[in-house]
Structures are given as structure tokens and as C-alpha cells.
Amino acid sequence: MLVQHIQKRMLESDTLTPKSNQRPMFDTAVGLSGPYAISNHFDFEAHRGVEELSPMKPACGFSRESFQMNSPGTRLALLLRQFPESGQPLFPQLLLVHGMEDSTVPFTATSDAAAAFRSCGVERCDELYIGQTGHQETIMHFMFGGKTKDAVLKWLQDRAASGEETVQLVASSKL
């Protein structure tokens, strides 16, 4: 969702340089325990012996090339590299959250994605790692209350208290 949003806003602009008043449609996005690089995640699944059972391979196209095209982190990094000046003002504050005990998607997927975004010039990308929390717990705690929801709400409150722009929370399972 985030990749499509930024790409659409960039293409809607009559020039590659955004107008001075052009802002993101939403100013905050939260990513939860994401496999932001599908090819890397496929390798992780293959190491565990579950690559043929996982829905990731058929959902993302069965080939390394398709994995790259369907990787939200890779797509976003390519978009930002393609239009470095015009993408920044349209890019919302990003918080990437991951449980440290995640055995489904390793927490390094989040740190790798954040590093890739920063290498493209993204200045507003925070990482939050939740101790003693697995993949499912990270998601469930966000939805129904628990460590993840508490930590994300604290991050949002701290951001609001520091005088940053108004926070609008949009939940999505896709970046």
C-alpha cells in the first residue's frame, strides 16, 4: 500500500519536483514483522524446509525476478532511488516493528529494510524491536492489546509531544 501510494503521488505531480505544499496523504505508517525482501525470506524458508508449504512462493510469482518485483522494501528503495528529490516529501514517518523471538520472519528483515530505506535518503524511519515476542504475538498484541500496541502508541504519543505533525493511524498488512 505504501509503495503504491508514493508512486501514485509522484506520478500525479506535474513535475518530478513536488509542489511546496505537497504532503503525504497520511503522515505515519507502521510496518509489523514484514518480510520486506521476498527473495531473502524465501531463502530463510528454504533453510527451514518450509518453502514448498509456504504461501509466499505462489503468492509472489515462483521466480527470483518475481520475488524482487513483489518485495515491498525492494520496490520502495528502487522508487526512491529513481526519484530521490521528489519522493522524500511524499514519504511518511515510518515505524518498523518486529518481535525479537520471531521464528517466521527473522527480525533482521526489519533492520535490513530500514537500512535500505536510509541508504535511499529516507530520514524518517524508526525501528522498534519487542523483546520476548514472536511473529504471531507481535500482530496479535497490536490488534488486541499488549506489548506491541503499547510500544507503538508510546512512539506515536512521543512523536506528537515533540511537536511533529498530527498523527493519523492507518492500519494495513501491506507496505
Side-chain angles (χ1 to χ4, degrees):
M1 181 175 112
L2 180 61
V3 177
Q4 291 89 342
H5 164 73
I6 292 174
Q7 187 171 29
K8 179 181 175 195
R9 295 289 302 255
M10 289 170 75
L11 295 174
E12 285 174 352
S13 178
D14 53 354
T15 67
L16 289 181
T17 305
K19 300 172 185 85
S20 60
N21 64 349
Q22 194 172 18
R23 298 178 49 202
M25 184 184 304
F26 49 88
D27 63 13
T28 305
V30 177
L32 297 175
S33 300
Y36 302 105
I38 304 302
S39 192
N40 292 353
H41 189 67
F42 178 78
D43 293 341
F44 178 74
E45 288 183 337
H47 179 72
R48 294 182 347 180
V50 298
E51 75 278 12
E52 297 302 325
L53 300 172
S54 170
M56 186 72 67
K57 184 177 175 181
C60 292
F62 295 101
S63 71
R64 293 285 178 170
E65 182 178 278
S66 295
F67 294 166
Q68 288 297 93
M69 290 175 48
N70 288 297
S71 295
T74 303
R75 291 180 55 211
L76 188 55
L78 288 172
L79 185 63
L80 290 170
R81 283 189 184 109
Q82 194 174 13
F83 304 105
E85 296 83 25
S86 60
Q88 272 307 313
L90 302 177
F91 199 88
Q93 172 74 38
L94 183 59
L95 174 63
L96 301 179
V97 182
H98 217 112
M100 293 295 293
E101 303 300 323
D102 192 330
S103 61
T104 304
V105 178
F107 72 88
T108 54
T110 290
S111 59
D112 291 347
F117 297 154
R118 287 189 196 100
S119 75
C120 298
V122 171
E123 298 169 1
R124 301 176 304 170
C125 179
D126 293 336
E127 300 166 62
L128 180 60
Y129 297 95
I130 311 295
Q132 299 177 343
T133 305
H135 189 75
Q136 296 82 351
E137 293 86 14
T138 301
I139 308 301
M140 298 302 277
H141 290 175
F142 184 76
M143 292 179 357
F144 300 114
K147 290 185 207 181
T148 306
K149 184 176 181 180
D150 294 346
V152 170
L153 288 175
K154 182 180 180 330
W155 178 85
L156 290 168
Q157 290 166 343
D158 290 349
R159 182 171 172 238
S162 71
E164 292 190 48
E165 299 173 20
T166 305
V167 173
Q168 299 174 356
L169 186 59
V170 177
S172 175
S173 61
K174 295 181 180 179
L175 255 183

